[in-house]
Amino acid sequence: MTNMDLCNCTKLRRAARHITRFYDTCLAESGSGLRATQYAILGYLKNRGAQTMNELAELMTMDRATIGHNLRPLERDGLVRIEVSERDRRARIVSITDEGLNRMEIGRVGWERAQAEFEEKYGAEHASSMRNMMDEVVGINLHA
């Protein structure tokens, strides 16, 4: 057994790439034009309402530069609106647009297919346990 077989980071990233590729394919087949990360961003905005870029970065476990990079095409395509906060001129507020809601609805078929197939093959109970475990992993206070 090699060190890479024991590396938590390598195993998590490998699984994440595998699942992301699958969800991206299902979303592409739906004709939404969205990738899994974009669908997740829109989902947070739909369900939680407008967020600052920092709040959205925290929800997605991304740094601000990465969330900005992911928001650019969504803003360009009119799926999100980014405005200066009235309370703090340094903050940017991100909200989903009607077109963003429409694209999510189009993508929902692909997302539901991905969810159903994953849970069928991996098992609904395993999938639920995995989601809970991943939330716990994100909640670990790790210091670099």
Side-chain angles (χ1 to χ4, degrees), residues 47-59:
N47 295 316
R48 295 178 182 237
Q51 303 283 312
T52 67
M53 287 182 77
N54 287 339
E55 290 167 337
L56 194 54
E58 178 81 16
L59 286 168

Side-chain angles (χ1 to χ4, degrees), residues 51-102:
Q51 303 283 312
T52 67
M53 287 182 77
N54 287 339
E55 290 167 337
L56 194 54
E58 178 81 16
L59 286 168
M60 294 291 298
T61 316
M62 294 179 175
D63 59 50
R64 195 175 186 291
T66 303
I67 198 70
H69 174 77
N70 279 277
L71 287 171
R72 271 192 222 75
L74 295 174
E75 182 182 30
R76 178 198 65 219
D77 295 344
L79 308 183
V80 299
R81 184 174 19 269
I82 303 174
E83 300 171 311
V84 175
S85 170
E86 292 179 12
R87 284 187 290 156
D88 180 352
R89 306 293 294 163
R90 297 169 298 178
R92 300 292 178 262
I93 307 294
V94 184
S95 57
I96 191 168
T97 64
D98 289 342
E99 181 58 25
L101 292 169
N102 182 50

Side-chain angles (χ1 to χ4, degrees), residues 32-43:
S32 68
L34 297 172
R35 298 182 62 96
T37 300
Q38 294 170 323
Y39 190 86
I41 290 169
L42 292 175

Side-chain angles (χ1 to χ4, degrees), residues 12-30:
L12 282 167
R13 290 177 60 89
R14 189 169 175 245
R17 282 190 299 271
H18 179 65
I19 297 299
T20 300
R21 193 174 321 136
F22 173 64
Y23 273 71
D24 282 347
T25 299
C26 292
L27 283 166
E29 290 171 359
S30 74

